Amino acid sequence: MSQGQTILSRLRDAVFMRRSRPPNNTRGNSLFGRFASFLPTSARQEVTPYTAVMVPPLLSGILAIVDPLSSSRWNMLVRNSDDDYEPFDTPIDYIVNDAPNPEMNGFEFKQVMLAQMLLSDEGEAYAEIVRSQDGRRVLELWPIPSYRMERRRDEQDRLYYRDHNLGRGPVDYWPDELLIFRGRNLFGDCPSSLIQLAREAIAGALATQEFGNRFFSNGANLGGFLETDQKIPADVRAEMEAAFAATYAGTREAHGVMMLPHGIKFHRSGIEPDKAQMLAVQKFFVVQIARVLRLPPHVVMELERSTNNNIAHQGIEYVHALIPHAEVAAQEVSRKLLPGRRSKCRVDLDWLKEGDAQQMAEADSRAVASGVWTMNERRKRHGLKRVKGVGDQHFMQSGMRTVEWIASAKHEPTSQEQADASGAGGNGLAGHGNQPPGEGT
């Protein structure tokens, strides 16, 4: 291929956003990567993972996703001969849920990984997989800060990651040497940072919060300007501005008596909070951030439209919002840590679907009575001791009969039918319990 054709092909790929091969060095998405935090917003607020968590609705929403998933048990399952998945004993269960490394417990490890996946500019969370010398056993999992990681390609277009560790220098990892939780991938190239995708909404919430803080830091007084007909030298003007700010600015100096010399007049200016609808704007951004995180508003404590009738259904929507994040983590653990294709990881979210005491009692009663669950399975769910013997058996209510059963003249009497027959005694009804209607009369 000639040099002219190479230049034309590059221009064509740049215009139509086509690439025949991955880039040689990729560090996050070109638009929403770590450098997007330096792009200006319409509210003139810098949006980074550290400033974003200063917005209470966003912090509340992130914790509402991270904490339940970190508290849940990540079960390791294997497919049996009946093509069903059942728990099996594996060291991965203990490493992931209890002790991933000597310095962290399972809750902390899962919390760090999920929080970085949602908050980092890279949209990914990383953990080094420490294996045995033969490479067959997983020994430890160590989280790596996302800001240190860089996506790269070698000469053969193979993806690898470089850890810019200032202590021991750059360290390269192949993808199978890392546990990687990837966030939303909307463009197919690299994971998209959730914070940078919603940077305008977060910037608006930051600006509204800053406006309220500055308003109250000035003693709930609006700004203004000074007016005079006299000509004031520059040095005197600077001294007056400094003295005015030191005397009247701030909450501790608020509501004092203002003395204005030289015929100076004070004129109030600015927009009052009620006219700016600050409370309405703050509520709007609460719902806006909940919408970005795909959470029901009541999860971030916005209960204006919540009632006792719909709060249970909103709780179901809350569980639905957690499923994609749980599936990302479970599939990565299954792919990188568990052996073979017959085993997988599944995050247990059943405890989030439970209702109040009355609803749970009704659900347990129906599940046991219909044979879906055994008594011990439900007791284990509530942390109760097992019942020996009959506790592991499936029961089903047999009061309902089919038409064919009723029409049949030959069937074994049940214990209830025998009791009814013996109780009928001298009424002449004994012995008719096993006969179809119309016979024996």
Side-chain angles (χ1 to χ4, degrees):
M1 181 180 294
S2 64
Q3 184 177 1
Q5 291 177 340
T6 303
I7 296 176
L8 289 177
S9 62
R10 290 181 179 177
L11 290 175
R12 179 193 61 193
D13 293 342
V15 172
F16 295 101
M17 299 181 66
R18 291 163 48 185
R19 266 204 307 263
S20 58
R21 59 191 298 272
N24 189 33
N25 185 358
T26 305
R27 175 178 281 199
N29 188 275
S30 59
L31 183 59
F32 297 106
R34 67 179 66 186
F35 298 110
S37 59
F38 297 100
L39 297 177
T41 61
S42 57
R44 297 184 179 181
Q45 296 288 328
E46 183 181 359
V47 179
T48 66
Y50 303 100
T51 59
V53 295
M54 295 181 183
V55 180
L58 180 66
L59 178 60
S60 177
I62 294 294
L63 294 178
I65 296 175
V66 171
D67 288 348
L69 295 180
S70 302
S71 303
S72 301
R73 189 76 182 179
W74 294 17
N75 297 322
M76 308 302 159
L77 309 176
V78 64
R79 185 184 299 174
N80 55 25
S81 58
D82 297 330
D83 204 24
D84 296 329
Y85 283 96
E86 60 182 6
F88 75 107
D89 187 15
T90 173
I92 302 300
D93 186 284
Y94 176 77
I95 292 175
V96 172
N97 290 294
D98 299 302
N101 58 68
E103 299 180 3
M104 303 178 71
N105 56 41
F107 178 86
E108 293 174 332
F109 172 77
K110 291 182 282 189
Q111 188 180 49
V112 169
M113 293 292 291
L114 294 169
Q116 289 199 46
M117 180 185 70
L118 296 173
L119 287 172
S120 67
D121 284 333
E122 293 76 15
E124 291 181 325
Y126 309 91
E128 180 185 1
I129 303 175
V130 180
R131 302 182 184 271
S132 58
Q133 292 184 355
D134 56 6
R136 296 182 179 180
R137 294 183 298 114
V138 177
L139 303 179
E140 297 174 350
L141 298 173
W142 289 92
I144 302 176
S146 298
Y147 64 86
R148 284 176 16 192
M149 300 300 290
E150 178 186 357
R151 296 166 57 98
R152 300 177 68 92
R153 296 275 178 177
D154 62 4
E155 293 79 4
Q156 300 178 4
D157 292 340
R158 293 179 299 180
L159 175 66
Y160 69 96
Y161 295 83
R162 173 163 294 180
D163 177 14
H164 293 274
N165 192 333
L166 298 180
R168 56 177 180 174
V171 181
D172 295 336
Y173 297 96
W174 293 113
D176 59 353
E177 297 176 330
L178 295 172
L179 192 68
I180 305 173
F181 291 176
R182 291 186 174 90
R184 292 289 193 268
N185 193 342
L186 304 181
F187 303 102
D189 186 6
C190 302
S192 306
S193 171
L194 182 65
I195 298 300
Q196 299 307 326
L197 287 173
R199 61 198 316 271
E200 287 293 337
I202 299 174
L206 285 170
T208 305
Q209 182 172 290
E210 182 180 359
F211 174 82
N213 293 340
R214 290 185 179 277
F215 174 76
F216 288 105
S217 67
N218 290 326
N221 288 320
L222 297 176
F225 60 92
L226 301 176
E227 179 186 8
T228 179
D229 296 334
Q230 302 179 11
K231 185 176 181 180
I232 301 178
D235 54 345
V236 178
R237 176 182 175 181
E239 294 178 359
M240 291 180 59
E241 289 178 352
F244 189 86
T247 306
Y248 303 108
T251 54
R252 296 184 177 181
E253 306 297 337
H255 311 294
V257 179
M258 183 179 296
M259 302 294 296
L260 298 177
H262 308 291
I264 297 177
K265 299 179 181 180
F266 176 77
H267 297 277
R268 189 182 298 272
S269 64
I271 303 177
E272 299 180 4
D274 55 344
K275 294 182 180 179
Q277 298 182 346
M278 187 174 71
L279 293 178
V281 172
Q282 287 181 338
K283 289 183 179 180
F284 168 77
F285 281 115
V286 171
V287 179
Q288 189 82 328
I289 291 176
R291 186 179 293 118
V292 168
L293 298 175
R294 297 191 60 81
L295 294 174
H298 80 278
V299 176
V300 291
M301 302 306 162
E302 175 54 48
L303 304 176
E304 185 174 358
R305 296 183 179 273
S306 299
T307 63
N308 293 330
N309 296 327
N310 66 2
I311 195 68
H313 293 280
Q314 292 186 9
I316 297 176
E317 296 175 359
Y318 171 48
V319 177
H320 291 172
L322 297 179
I323 290 177
H325 306 290
E327 194 65 21
V328 167
Q331 289 190 10
E332 183 68 5
V333 171
S334 303
R335 193 166 65 98
K336 299 286 184 67
L337 303 182
L338 294 179
R341 298 183 178 180
R342 300 184 63 86
S343 57
K344 72 173 185 178
C345 173
R346 183 170 63 190
V347 181
D348 184 10
L349 298 178
D350 292 341
W351 65 279
L352 291 172
K353 303 176 184 178
E354 297 176 350
D356 54 28
Q358 181 178 358
Q359 292 176 342
M360 292 173 59
E362 293 178 357
D364 290 345
S365 177
R366 292 181 180 180
V368 173
S370 59
V372 177
W373 296 91
T374 65
M375 187 185 305
N376 282 338
E377 288 174 339
R378 298 313 296 169
R379 291 178 65 87
K380 181 180 179 181
R381 194 68 190 172
H382 298 296
L384 302 176
K385 294 182 178 180
R386 297 177 65 257
V387 177
K388 297 182 179 179
V390 297
D392 294 324
Q393 298 180 4
H394 290 269
F395 293 92
M396 181 177 293
Q397 292 181 348
S398 59
M400 299 182 65
R401 303 293 189 184
T402 63
V403 177
E404 291 79 5
W405 190 92
I406 297 175
S408 175
K410 296 181 180 180
H411 63 270
E412 294 295 331
T414 62
S415 58
Q416 183 64 36
E417 290 172 342
Q418 292 178 355
D420 293 342
S422 61
N427 293 333
L429 299 178
H432 292 282
N434 294 340
Q435 298 180 2
E439 296 187 12
T441 58

